[in-house]
Amino acid sequence: MNNAITLNQKNLSRLPDSISVPTYDRSKVTAGIMHIGVGGFHRSHEAWYTNELLSKTGATEWGICGVGLREGDRKIADILKQQDYLYTLIVKHPDGRIENQVIGSIVDFILGGDDPGAVTDRMAQETTKIVSLTITEGGYNFKPATGEFNFKNPEVKHDLAHPESPKSVFGFLTRGLKKRRAAGLPPFTIQSCDNIQHNGDMTRKMLVAFARKQDPELAEWIETEVCFPNAMVDRITPVTTPADIELLENEYGITDKWPVTCEPFSQWVIEDKFCNGRPEWEKVGAQFVPDVTPYETMKIRLLNAGHSVLGLLGSIHGHGTIDECVADPLFANYLRRFMDFEATPVLDPVDGIDLDDYKDSLIERFGNPNIKDNLARICLESSSKLPKFLIPTINENLERGGSIEYAALVIAAWCYYSDKGVSKDGEQLEIVDDMKDELHKAAAGTTSNKLSFLKLKPVFGNLAQNKTFAEEYSSMIAALYENPDISKLMQAKLFGRD
Ligand code: CS2
């Protein structure tokens, strides 16, 4: 549409009535939050909750300053700047209804690569109360085998040698906190929003390890004074497609260069541990609880693992999206069996949640036909996802003599994917993973040694040495390499149980 309205502050009042826009005075909002990693998920989740809060309560001190630490963040920084940091959240309901909401909670953006000092100075301003993170599961820089901080990371090495011009998130946080301390200010809270069990504890452990190398006294201050609340975060947010941009332009008359699409469901369960104040997110649907552990375990081991189960099996089979998988009864049943027989038995009860209802709701959410969540998004960076999402379930079942066969086929499918890079029908499957080469090399060794992939210690730990698992996995590998029609193996498992 040529007369579509370009999204920016000045044009907000000209947008069609069907689109909700921020009604609060954005010029009065200051950024009490700095957020590192402004991807789709941050924009559909924390920034959305915060937008609701600013609208509902009139709070002005809790706007967000986006921070990008990678060159790849330049595009979002540029687009947001051109749009006065506004963007459209396209909420897609299962019945086809679409709600468009312009989000105004991001009020600034800084690129750390261009000006590291601008980021650390901003962190050191009194008005900065929280630094939140979505840096992906792989961004926490720990050695999977030991859980310790990886000092061999080149960015970390750089930051230890040049503390004044950091590149890594740990270098930035340490420098920012150092400046605050020198200025006699209290620290900010560091709030992880990634899908990692005990994400706050993990952030603390990694940051303190880094800071101790750089400035032991500062590390002690961080350990005692900074809060790192754990949290469970949830909202399915597929990758934005050109069709989403066109839909907004053609159907709704808005030109937004980078909107975000998401499902209607959203959940945020947070430990109430903040050292420098916090927004009243509970007024807009977030839950503050003393212990978030059962919620995060449940979510990571059912939703995220469920995604990986469908993602890896579905890719080999030739499905394209999550909703396509759950529309296939074989995949929906397989997922439910995995959840019931393998994930649930090793979960603790969760206060106020019926796990059966929760699983039903997950399958319903996955089935939303308007959320075309591509399996490619699910499968990317599997080497940092599966050790958090799936492998703990396998290990705990092995300890208790529980079932591991549904998960074993998923790992075998991942090996096939990493080895061949094609579906059963020969469609190309791209491997996007920091460990791409290692994964491929280990998987390619499968023909001479069935356990080759499983022996990749940084990912699987000692799983290859477990006889029960190794046997099940080897038989799945043998069958899959003989006939990559994975549906046959899935069927065999389901019927074997009937
Ligand atoms: C997905 C998550 O990354 C993944 O593989 O499982 O991004 C998932 O969509 C979100 O955690 C939903 O809250």
Side-chain angles (χ1 to χ4, degrees):
M1 204 195 266
N2 287 335
N3 49 3
I5 297 165
T6 300
L7 181 59
N8 59 36
Q9 183 66 35
K10 173 170 74 47
N11 286 342
L12 278 186
S13 57
R14 296 175 53 213
L15 294 181
D17 288 347
S18 64
I19 291 158
S20 71
V21 298
T23 47
Y24 49 92
D25 183 353
R26 293 183 72 231
S27 67
K28 296 219 162 63
V29 173
T30 52
I33 303 170
M34 290 177 81
H35 183 80
I36 303 179
V38 182
F41 181 70
H42 170 69
R43 296 199 286 150
S44 74
H45 195 261
E46 181 179 349
W48 172 77
Y49 277 98
T50 306
N51 180 69
E52 298 306 277
L53 180 85
L54 300 181
S55 302
K56 192 163 174 183
T57 65
T60 53
E61 73 277 37
W62 293 115
I64 299 170
C65 171
V67 179
L69 301 184
R70 330 222 144 256
E71 189 46 36
D73 294 319
R74 188 172 297 282
K75 181 173 168 203
I76 187 69
D78 287 348
I79 290 177
L80 284 179
K81 187 157 190 219
Q82 285 162 27
Q83 300 184 170
D84 299 323
Y85 310 104
L86 296 165
Y87 62 93
T88 319
L89 190 64
I90 310 175
V91 181
K92 295 186 175 174
H93 291 261
D95 61 5
R97 209 154 41 89
I98 289 181
E99 281 172 284
N100 294 309
Q101 184 177 9
V102 174
I103 305 296
S105 50
I106 300 181
V107 292
D108 203 353
F109 202 109
I110 324 177
L111 281 172
D114 286 357
D115 191 355
V119 173
T120 52
D121 282 349
R122 184 80 175 235
M123 285 177 169
Q125 275 175 21
E126 193 165 7
T127 44
T128 302
K129 311 273 185 191
I130 295 175
V131 177
S132 55
L133 317 171
T134 41
I135 53 174
T136 78
E137 291 76 36
Y140 289 81
N141 193 51
F142 67 96
K143 292 188 277 185
T146 59
E148 299 303 321
F149 192 76
N150 175 15
F151 284 100
K152 294 205 174 115
N153 175 332
E155 280 191 352
V156 166
K157 283 189 179 161
H158 169 276
D159 289 3
L160 287 172
H162 308 282
E164 66 307 327
S165 58
K167 287 181 192 285
S168 78
V169 65
F170 303 100
F172 275 100
L173 290 170
T174 307
R175 184 76 180 163
L177 286 166
K178 191 180 172 87
K179 286 187 179 173
R180 279 187 94 89
R181 187 167 180 236
L185 290 173
F188 43 74
T189 297
I190 301 181
Q191 188 175 17
S192 165
C193 302
D194 284 294
N195 289 310
I196 295 190
Q197 186 89 51
H198 309 318
N199 52 13
D201 299 345
M202 163 76 90
T203 315
R204 162 194 253 126
K205 183 174 170 189
M206 296 301 117
L207 183 65
V208 169
F210 173 84
R212 203 171 280 138
K213 265 261 158 78
Q214 198 168 72
D215 181 340
E217 215 196 309
L218 178 70
E220 210 175 305
W221 185 72
I222 296 176
E223 234 179 337
T224 51
E225 302 296 325
V226 180
C227 283
F228 299 79
N230 292 309
M232 179 263 246
V233 293
D234 193 7
R235 189 168 215 178
I236 294 174
T237 309
V239 177
T240 306
T241 63
D244 296 320
I245 297 173
E246 280 158 29
L247 174 93
L248 269 189
E249 179 136 326
N250 298 334
E251 301 278 321
Y252 299 95
I254 311 181
T255 303
D256 179 341
K257 290 194 180 139
W258 204 339
V260 181
T261 62
C262 65
E263 61 171 344
F265 179 91
S266 177
Q267 195 174 12
W268 199 6
V269 189
I270 315 166
E271 268 171 19
D272 202 352
K273 285 199 287 189
F274 288 74
C275 52
N276 198 348
R278 66 160 174 84
E280 292 176 299
W281 281 311
E282 69 273 29
K283 295 211 160 135
V284 288
Q287 266 169 283
F288 283 93
V289 297
D291 179 12
V292 81
T293 312
Y295 298 90
E296 52 182 14
T297 319
M298 169 186 83
K299 193 260 169 171
I300 291 172
R301 298 210 192 166
L302 289 170
L303 187 150
N304 297 111
H307 262 166
S308 299
V309 166
L310 297 177
L312 291 162
L313 299 176
S315 297
I316 303 292
H317 185 66
H319 283 319
T321 58
I322 291 290
D323 65 297
E324 202 181 314
C325 289
V326 294
D328 177 339
L330 175 64
F331 280 74
N333 284 331
Y334 194 95
L335 173 63
R336 187 67 199 220
R337 291 285 182 95
F338 160 76
M339 288 178 170
D340 288 344
F341 290 125
E342 298 189 355
T344 309
V346 289
L347 282 181
D348 289 329
V350 192
D351 236 10
I353 295 186
D354 177 315
L355 282 180
D356 277 323
D357 292 349
Y358 183 73
K359 289 181 269 188
D360 289 344
S361 76
L362 288 185
I363 295 186
E364 214 176 293
R365 288 168 61 197
F366 287 2
N368 184 337
N370 302 307
I371 297 290
K372 294 277 168 238
D373 201 3
N374 224 288
L375 301 191
R377 176 185 89 84
I378 301 299
C379 294
L380 59 84
E381 301 303 340
S382 285
S383 72
S384 42
K385 290 179 179 177
L386 267 65
K388 319 270 180 336
F389 300 171
L390 185 62
I391 296 169
T393 293
I394 298 176
N395 285 330
E396 286 173 33
N397 274 313
L398 287 169
E399 271 165 37
R400 297 185 193 188
S403 164
I404 44 86
E405 57 176 310
Y406 290 96
L409 180 59
V410 177
I411 307 287
W414 185 23
C415 172
Y416 186 87
Y417 185 131
S418 310
D419 182 3
K420 312 276 183 201
V422 287
S423 74
K424 74 171 192 318
D425 300 322
E427 292 151 54
Q428 216 60 41
L429 300 171
E430 203 190 340
I431 308 169
V432 181
D433 201 301
D434 276 354
M435 287 185 67
K436 181 179 169 176
D437 296 338
E438 291 100 309
L439 291 170
H440 178 67
K441 191 163 167 243
T446 302
T447 29
S448 47
N449 176 351
K450 287 201 192 70
L451 294 181
S452 172
F453 188 61
L454 205 58
K455 286 189 175 159
L456 203 56
K457 273 208 167 179
V459 176
F460 297 108
N462 292 329
L463 208 49
Q465 280 154 37
N466 182 290
K467 204 163 163 279
T468 313
F469 193 80
E471 268 172 21
E472 177 65 26
Y473 172 79
S474 302
S475 81
M476 291 301 103
I477 283 287
L480 193 59
Y481 273 66
E482 195 182 308
N483 176 4
D485 184 355
I486 202 149
S487 67
K488 296 269 182 309
L489 294 170
M490 293 167 70
Q491 256 157 18
K493 292 217 176 291
L494 293 181
F495 293 133
R497 285 268 175 186
D498 277 341

